[in-house]
Structure formats: C-alpha cells, structure tokens
Amino acid sequence: MMIEEVGVEELVRAGLSEVEARGFHESLKAAILIARSSSGGEGTKAAAEPQKVWKELTAEGKKLLKPWHPHALHQLIYSSVYSNWDISTSGLPPYWFPSLLQARQTNLGNLMEIQGPKLLGALYQDPIKSFSLFQKFTVQHQDVYWPLILRVLSVKFREGPRCILDTSDKSKHGGTWFPGSVLNIAESCLLPTDHPRKRDEDVAVIWRDEGLDDAPVNRMTLRELREQVMMVANALDSMFSKGDAIAIDMPMTVTAVVIYLAIILAGLVVVSIADSFVGKEIATRLRVSNAKGIFTQDFIRRGGRNFPLYSRVVEAGPWKAIVVPAIGKDVSVQLRKHDLSWKDFLSRVDHLPRPNHHFPVYQSMDSVTNILFSSGTTGEPKAIPWTQLCPIRSAADAWAQINIKTGDVYCWPTNLGWVMGPTVLYSCFLIGATLALYHGSPLGHGFGKFVQEAGVTCLGTVPSLVKMWKSTDCMKGLDWTKIKTFASTGEASNFDDDLWLSSKAYYRPIIECCGGTELASSYIQGNLLQPQAFGAFNGASMTTGFVILDENGVPYPDDQPCVGEVGLFPVYMGATDRLLNADHEEVYFKGMPMYKGMRLRRHGDIIKRTVGGYFLVQGRADDTMNLGGIKTSSVEIERVCDRADDSLLETAAISIAPVNGGPEQLVIFVVLKKGYSCTQEQLKIKFSRAIQSNLNPLFKVSHVRIVVEFPRNATNKLLRRVLRDQMKTELASRSRL
C-alpha cells in the first residue's frame, strides 16, 4: 500500500481511535502535499519522493508520529512511505536526515566548519557535502587530525610526545604513536579541565539500584569520584606492586568503575572478566593474565534474586579475592581465610593522614593498563592488552561519531569484561559527560524508568536487548524524548526493532558501531553528518581506511557495490600491536595482501557495500561467531558439545543470521556414532545445558541437525562454510513457505 492510499480505516486497524485516526489522516495528507511540492510535482497526481514524505512526517516541529503511538502505526506509515522504494537502484531507505544547522552544531561538524577551509581549501563546502572528503583527509593526514582531537579531550600529558606518529620501526605495521609521551590516563579522567569544561562539582556518575526504582537517582561529582578512586588506589598500594595485574569480575556498578580507575591510577593493570563466565572460564583468564588478585561481588542482584558470583571465583582457583557486597555494607557469604571483604580492604588506609589523595603513577603511552579478552578460533580466548592509546581512541570516536558532548548523560548497559565497558567509561570521563549506570537488569521497566529520570541523552544498546524491550512492551508509558542519539553494537540489528527503538525518541538516529576489542573502536560506524538507514553503517570512522577484498584478495573499487572480507589499513591509532598469548603478526597480518605499499590488517568481517554507499556486516570470514553480542569460536562450542552425550561422533558449530535480520543464531551439526540414535530435540536440550554450564549461560542453541558426515577439503579440514550455506538455504526455504 502506498502512503497516499492509507485511510482512516487503516489507521484504526493500526491502533488509533476513530477520532485520532481522522485527525492523523488530515495531518498525513498535509505532509504528503508539502513533500509533493518540494519534489517539484505539479497538481495533485504527482508522486512525492518517499524520503521527502518521511522527512516531513518526522521533522522537528511537526513530529506527526509520536513515541506513544502503537508500533503497528509506525510500521504502517514507514512501510507505506517506502512501498515502491527499489533497494537495488536507490540503496537502503533512509529514516533520519541531518539539517545543515544540526550538522554544524555537532562536534565533528563544528570542527569541520573551523578547520575545513584551512585543510581542504576551496574544495570545502559544508559538513554534510564535504564529509567524505574530510574523512579521507583524516586517513591521509593523521598527524593533522589527532592534535585537533587531543585539544577537545581531557588528556593530560606529564611529558608531551616528540611527534604524533613515528614510522621508523618497520616491524610495527601501524607505527609508534605519540612517542616519548608520559601520562596516567586515569588521572586525565579525574582532573577538572577548561577544555573540555569539567568542574569538580559536575556530576560524573549517576546511578540507581534495581528495586529502588521510585527512589531518587544517586549522583557522584567529579571531586567525589576522584577522592573515592584515590582512596582505593592507596589501599591497592598496601597489597600489590606496580605492574601487577588485578582482575575485576563484577557488574558495572559505580564501585566497579572506582576500582577500575584506581587500579590504573596506581600503576597496576586491570584484567577485565565478564560477570557471566563460569569458574573454568574465569580461571583461564586469571591464568593467562598472570593476575595477582581479583575484585568480585558476593552475589549478582537481578530481578529481586541473588545469583552467586563469589562462589564462581572460588571455583576458579586460589587467587586472592576482594569481595564487594551486592547490598549493604557487609558481604553475605563466608569468605576464604586469604580473601578480604570490601570493608576490610578499605580499612587498610585508615592510618593514612590523607587517604583520599594519591599521586598518579606516570607511564609511557604504550604501557599496558587493561587486559581484555576476545575469542579466536584456537579455543583459548585472545588476551588483548590495552595501552593508554586505547582510551583516547575510544573517546575520540564517541566524540566524533556518536557526538557525545560535555554535559551529556551517556548510558550503555554493559560490563567491564566487554570492550564497551571501558569504552563508555573513558568516553564520559575524557569528554566531560556523565556516566549513567543501572545496578540491575536492563531487561525491564525499572531500567527504562532510570533512563527517563536520569535524563539520559545517549542510550547504547545491543539488538537482542531492543528485541526484548519491544516484545515485552516493558517500556510503555515512559518518556525517552530527552535522548538525542542511540547507539548499537555487538550484533546485526533488526530493521523492525530499530524502527521501534528510534520511534521512542521521535526518530532520533541510531548510530551503528562495528569494531573490536583489538581496535579499541569501530572501523565502520554511523554519524550525524549523513542520512541514516536502519541497521546500516555510513562508512569508515575518522582516520580509518579499509578496502573490501574479493575471493582472490583483490580490492574492489571504492565506489562499487560488493561483498567481501574487509582489509584494514595498518596505520590505526589505538589498535593492538601485541597479544599476550598468541602471535600478533600471524593473527592479524599473515596472509593478508599488500595494498599501496601497506600490509593490510585482518579483522575477519565480511561486509557488503550497498548501492548508495551504506555498509552491512554479513558475518565472519573465520569460524568466530557472535552470540548475543559475545564473540566466541566454533572450537569452544564444539569442545563442550562433543562431551554432551555418548552418542556423538563429532559436532560442528556455526552461526547464521535470521532471514529477516537480527542476532546470530547458534546451530549445531552432529554426526552420530554407528548404532546410536537420538532426536535433534533431545540433543538441543543437552547441548544447551552443556554450553550454559561450561561456557556461558547467555548462549542458546537455536537448531540441531543430524547428518551422515561433514563436508571436508583435501586436507580433511571441516568446511563449516558449506554447513552454513546449507542452513541458510533451509531457513530461506522455510521462510518462503
């Protein structure tokens, strides 16, 4: 149905009352007429351009579609507007359009207005028309771009760098960044500055505990945060030595944030462990990082229930644990003799004359401050060291791409064990925004109420979370209209879920982000200077260069629609140059083609460039999969599944994206031993139990398929790609039926 054909009857079926439908219909007709006239049509029969109709319906000051309207109405209007839109010739249909005024008021647009004429000369027009040209300039002139960014972030050097980038060491594909510089990145987060404007009395963190949803939100000023961090740093000095690795395995609470910054301020190294891991996975990460101790909680509080966490740390091994109470001031579990309660840990500074003062430990820019983990294909998680460069990169992209500003309230339900935890933390504290934390589950109304009452201006999500909000309608009645920008990462977005989310704030843009722990950023991302399409990326982030490779490793032309593996330019500020437990060269560079004298960097994504220049992530080139925003490997899954039942000869794990988009689904293929029988449903239950108890309770098996044998190549390597294609064909066929 075309938008001109939508009548009162259709609007009533979409959930409006008769009176509402008549009023809406009159406004709809007026909007179509305005769009038609702006399209140059004459008379009443001329068709209006779809994007102009949608722009008119969602424009500031008009906002015909309201956040409280039924989702069925939003679906009806959007689908009717773009009913005749041809993706093959016009590209993806846009839903958000920047005005020139909006573009100039963004962080990046303002920078372009000031610097564009100087850097691009007569070629510069405005932030919208000149965006692509400016992005390419930043790739080619990183020595110009990064000093501009350092001026807008609160990075405080003890000793300034000799230069921006030193490429004299040819063994380093990406060069050496800010050589000679000395700083403590945690100190940069904690000190007041004039540019950006950060004052001691400004709110640094805002939070609320689950179950206290009617209580006022809690606030911590920058001064209070600094004093808390310095007190914990002093307590750390009494137990550990400079350079020691100290793990954090707890929810991302205000206490966890204080601990994280204190470890770095004291010259120690954070080991990030997600609070969903079982004991064996915790042990692996503690062993690989050579951790000397671990901060954890007695329980995790979710939905009014206590879920054990300290007991999993105990199961992991004898590492010394400092245990924070989930509720109140006292832990509610019996501790081992060598472990400490949070209260006893803090009491170690009681004798100090100034317990809230700590002199930062200054280190070189390439000193490791954080060890994070990302699963590869070897079965053991890659230990990825973050240096002091990584926070700067994370904050720079939040400033330029997501438009986080001083005074914003930034909320992203995540964990310090995943890359988004440190990313959001540094983005707030290096820009001067407020970090918003909900101590509890983000799945329900309580979280949404916190978003409303904390005045969140940027809300980050993962698509599976949005799907849950939409399906349960748990955010009904809430006002999210203070949100200026959404952000999404972790997995492929679903169009209808994004439509629902964006509609909750009058169709504010959702900035899609795709990157990696080893990049400390997103290599492709949305931005506020170009029109946005649901679930799509606008292009490369600032200073990032990449090509899309065909099956022979040859780059496609930059303007050609195509699908292939991404090859990143190696000069990438913030990207790793080492791994703790794997060969960095082999993982990221070996076998990658040369391009314009550069050895391209492997990332592993298969991406699609569409007509119109948008990008879509199509999956992984290797056997790494992305389940609910958590990267894991086929090998890890198969290792657990192989032991799930005596009837199994071998298993093969793959992940596929649903036909209509959305998070990847886990599929297990099975070859049974001769003489054994078992149903696919029985195995599905057994695999789910085994994976959730041995790997991660968040992983879910969607499908099981029993086959006679697995496809293999001449060297007997399992061809998971063939299994993936078989499953895609099956699901596509079922979808058509």
Side-chain angles (χ1 to χ4, degrees):
M1 175 182 293
M2 295 177 64
I3 190 63
E4 291 86 354
E5 298 170 336
V6 173
V8 172
E9 186 178 341
E10 287 77 23
L11 296 173
V12 170
R13 279 203 298 267
L16 295 183
S17 68
E18 183 85 21
V19 173
E20 289 173 325
R22 292 189 183 282
F24 189 95
H25 188 245
E26 290 302 313
S27 299
L28 178 61
K29 288 192 296 182
I32 294 171
L33 282 173
I34 294 171
R36 183 178 290 152
S37 64
S38 69
S39 298
E42 296 180 2
T44 58
K45 293 184 179 180
E49 294 178 27
Q51 66 270 38
K52 290 189 176 180
V53 175
W54 183 256
K55 189 175 182 179
E56 185 64 28
L57 293 175
T58 58
E60 288 287 338
K62 305 220 176 146
K63 298 179 178 176
L64 182 59
L65 287 163
K66 311 295 185 187
W68 54 86
H69 278 151
H71 184 54
L73 178 67
H74 291 273
Q75 292 173 312
L76 170 67
I77 299 302
Y78 183 85
S79 61
S80 299
V81 166
Y82 287 110
S83 60
N84 289 335
W85 185 270
D86 187 348
I87 293 177
S88 65
T89 57
S90 302
L92 299 173
Y95 71 94
W96 182 83
F97 312 84
S99 70
L100 188 54
L101 177 62
Q102 287 174 323
R104 285 173 170 154
Q105 290 174 342
T106 64
N107 292 329
L108 188 58
N110 181 59
L111 179 71
M112 288 176 64
E113 285 287 86
I114 296 170
Q115 300 293 335
K118 303 174 190 174
L119 302 178
L120 302 178
L123 294 176
Y124 182 77
Q125 298 181 61
D126 62 58
I128 295 176
K129 293 177 183 175
S130 302
F131 171 78
S132 179
L133 189 63
F134 186 76
Q135 195 280 333
K136 290 177 181 175
F137 178 89
T138 69
V139 176
Q140 297 162 358
H141 302 278
Q142 306 215 19
D143 59 324
V144 175
Y145 179 78
W146 285 110
L148 297 175
I149 294 301
L150 289 176
R151 293 178 197 167
V152 299
L153 302 179
S154 63
V155 178
K156 176 180 168 55
F157 290 106
R158 183 73 169 181
E159 296 178 23
R162 295 191 302 272
C163 61
I164 299 300
L165 176 63
D166 180 357
T167 58
S168 60
D169 185 349
K170 300 306 177 184
S171 68
K172 291 187 175 183
H173 296 280
T176 301
W177 290 91
F178 307 115
S181 60
V182 175
L183 74 161
N184 184 297
I185 197 64
E187 179 191 43
S188 294
C189 292
L190 297 169
L191 291 180
T193 57
D194 291 329
H195 303 285
R197 186 166 174 76
K198 288 167 54 181
R199 299 168 299 181
D200 271 343
E201 61 270 24
D202 290 340
V203 177
V205 188
I206 188 169
W207 77 96
R208 176 183 278 161
D209 294 326
E210 183 182 85
L212 300 177
D213 297 327
D214 294 325
V217 293
N218 303 285
R219 290 177 168 85
M220 180 181 286
T221 66
L222 181 62
R223 178 186 288 110
E224 290 168 338
L225 175 64
R226 182 171 64 250
E227 291 176 350
Q228 289 286 312
V229 168
M230 289 187 170
M231 180 172 64
V232 173
N234 280 318
L236 286 165
D237 285 348
S238 71
M239 294 180 61
F240 302 106
S241 302
K242 179 185 172 183
D244 282 351
I246 312 298
I248 301 176
D249 183 3
M250 55 190 294
M252 192 167 172
T253 62
V254 65
T255 302
V257 169
V258 167
I259 293 168
Y260 182 96
L261 290 171
I263 291 172
I264 296 170
L265 192 76
L268 309 173
V269 179
V270 176
V271 179
S272 294
I273 301 178
D275 61 10
S276 59
F277 282 121
V278 297
K280 287 191 293 185
E281 294 297 317
I282 296 170
T284 297
R285 286 153 177 79
L286 293 171
R287 173 181 53 79
V288 169
S289 63
N290 192 27
K292 304 301 182 185
I294 180 170
F295 285 89
T296 189
Q297 275 187 189
D298 48 5
F299 294 100
I300 299 173
R301 190 80 172 161
R302 290 285 187 273
R305 298 172 58 196
N306 287 337
F307 296 90
L309 183 54
Y310 172 66
S311 61
R312 283 189 263 145
V313 171
V314 171
E315 180 188 339
W319 285 272
K320 187 176 188 67
I322 300 157
V323 186
V324 178
I327 302 174
K329 297 183 178 180
D330 297 306
V331 294
S332 53
V333 292
Q334 183 68 41
L335 302 186
R336 297 175 298 187
K337 288 185 178 180
H338 66 280
D339 293 336
L340 273 179
S341 70
W342 179 243
K343 182 193 293 185
D344 289 342
F345 170 73
L346 293 181
S347 70
R348 299 174 74 94
V349 303
D350 288 348
H351 67 285
L352 296 178
R354 299 176 66 194
N356 293 324
H357 177 79
H358 186 283
F359 195 72
V361 174
Y362 296 107
Q363 302 184 84
S364 64
M365 180 64 84
D366 65 352
S367 296
V368 175
T369 59
N370 194 179
I371 299 169
L372 296 109
F373 294 87
S374 178
S375 293
T377 56
T378 61
E380 182 173 81
K382 295 196 299 286
I384 299 172
W386 264 30
T387 67
Q388 301 197 86
L389 277 174
C390 300
I392 299 173
R393 179 67 195 227
S394 292
D397 280 2
W399 183 89
Q401 307 284 152
I402 306 177
N403 199 44
I404 300 298
K405 295 187 173 189
T406 301
D408 272 338
V409 180
Y410 193 9
C411 179
W412 200 315
T414 183
N415 187 271
L416 289 170
W418 305 120
V419 67
M420 283 314 303
T423 293
V424 174
L425 182 156
Y426 284 120
S427 296
C428 287
F429 298 150
L430 292 179
I431 294 172
T434 298
L435 175 63
L437 302 170
Y438 185 69
H439 296 179
S441 170
L443 296 176
H445 186 83
F447 173 77
K449 190 168 184 282
F450 168 70
V451 169
Q452 171 185 296
E453 295 177 0
V456 169
T457 57
C458 180
L459 177 61
T461 68
V462 293
S464 55
L465 191 55
V466 179
K467 185 177 292 293
M468 179 68 71
W469 293 341
K470 188 189 81 172
S471 64
T472 60
D473 201 24
C474 62
M475 302 306 173
K476 187 175 182 178
L478 295 174
D479 182 358
W480 281 7
T481 55
K482 287 184 180 178
I483 294 173
K484 298 184 292 185
T485 313
F486 295 98
S488 180
T489 192
E491 52 199 356
S493 292
N494 175 277
F495 151 74
D496 192 58
D497 296 341
D498 273 3
L499 178 73
W500 177 90
L501 180 66
S502 182
S503 74
K504 295 304 168 189
Y506 287 111
Y507 287 97
R508 295 296 190 182
I510 303 171
I511 304 300
E512 297 284 344
C513 312
C514 181
T517 308
E518 72 282 2
L519 299 177
S521 64
S522 298
Y523 70 93
I524 52 173
Q525 207 163 3
N527 64 71
L528 297 184
L529 303 183
Q530 303 288 281
Q532 300 294 307
F534 287 124
F537 306 85
N538 286 97
S541 56
M542 289 295 108
T543 74
T544 300
F546 70 83
V547 292
I548 300 176
L549 305 169
D550 66 17
E551 292 182 352
N552 298 312
V554 178
Y556 288 101
D558 286 344
D559 57 352
Q560 179 180 328
C562 57
V563 178
E565 182 176 355
V566 66
L568 299 176
F569 290 7
V571 178
Y572 196 115
M573 202 285 273
T576 56
D577 61 5
R578 73 202 94 160
L579 294 169
L580 298 189
N581 60 342
D583 186 328
H584 189 271
E585 179 74 18
E586 184 171 331
V587 170
Y588 295 114
F589 290 99
K590 186 177 180 181
M592 290 297 287
M594 298 292 292
Y595 177 73
K596 294 184 177 180
M598 304 177 287
R599 176 74 64 188
L600 293 173
R601 181 182 177 112
R602 179 180 293 107
H603 184 68
D605 283 345
I606 300 293
I607 63 174
K608 176 180 182 178
R609 181 164 47 227
T610 71
V611 172
Y614 289 106
F615 293 87
L616 300 171
V617 176
Q618 302 283 284
R620 297 289 296 173
D622 54 21
D623 292 321
T624 298
M625 57 185 73
N626 191 326
L627 303 177
I630 301 172
K631 288 183 181 178
T632 188
S633 69
S634 297
V635 173
E636 285 181 299
I637 300 287
E638 291 158 6
R639 188 180 67 234
V640 172
C641 289
D642 285 345
R643 303 194 300 268
D645 191 81
D646 291 338
S647 66
L648 305 173
L649 179 63
E650 57 181 342
T651 63
I654 64 165
S655 65
I656 55 169
V659 175
N660 296 319
E664 294 179 25
Q665 296 180 346
L666 176 59
V667 183
I668 310 295
F669 281 83
V670 176
V671 176
L672 296 176
K673 294 177 182 175
K674 192 172 182 179
Y676 281 79
S677 64
C678 200
T679 69
Q680 294 178 161
E681 193 58 33
Q682 288 172 332
L683 289 175
K684 181 179 175 181
I685 294 171
K686 291 182 178 182
F687 289 152
S688 293
R689 288 174 180 167
I691 291 169
Q692 289 168 2
S693 61
N694 288 282
L695 275 181
N696 196 310
L698 303 179
F699 292 170
K700 175 186 175 184
V701 178
S702 297
H703 306 281
V704 172
R705 294 294 179 267
I706 298 174
V707 296
V708 176
E709 61 182 5
F710 291 154
R712 298 183 182 276
N713 65 9
T715 60
N716 207 38
K717 182 181 178 182
L718 174 62
L719 300 176
R720 294 186 184 85
R721 170 180 47 81
V722 175
L723 296 176
R724 194 176 293 116
D725 291 343
Q726 290 175 3
M727 199 65 204
K728 284 182 180 178
T729 301
E730 177 187 330
L731 293 182
S733 176
R734 189 189 304 174
S735 176
R736 287 193 295 271
L737 291 175

